[in-house]
Amino acid sequence: MPTTTTIDSEMSALKTRLKAIWESGDYGVFAKYLEKGALEFFDCLNIPAGTRLLDVACGAGQLTLPAARKGVATW
């Protein structure tokens, strides 16, 4: 059974590799491919105008921008 130190070391290595992958590309270009699905998802939520919506590290604004256009207050 792996020790906590081994698991921590493996997790740290994984995080380092994932960070390098995300930093190697242009997220804005990638985000355009997510936009259609994000808009479909947002429409399913049926959030009324005037609602306050908190966006915390949720990408490139795929949900925040359409929400603001519909009168949802984004933070």
Side-chain angles (χ1 to χ4, degrees), residues 42 50-55 63-69 71-75:
F42 178 74
T51 301
R52 292 173 31 176
L53 177 68
L54 178 63
D55 180 348
L63 296 177
T64 307
L65 296 174
R69 287 186 200 112
V72 175
T74 57
W75 301 60

Side-chain angles (χ1 to χ4, degrees), residues 1 10 13 17 20 31 35 39 42 51 53 56 71:
M1 182 171 177
E10 290 172 358
R17 289 193 309 271
E35 189 171 3
L39 290 173
F42 178 74
T51 301
L53 177 68
V56 180

Side-chain angles (χ1 to χ4, degrees), residues 11-34:
M11 185 59 71
S12 178
L14 174 62
K15 287 179 180 181
T16 299
R17 289 193 309 271
L18 290 173
K19 181 179 181 203
I21 289 169
W22 279 105
E23 290 178 345
S24 68
D26 183 344
Y27 185 78
V29 172
F30 173 71
K32 290 186 187 297
Y33 293 101
L34 301 175

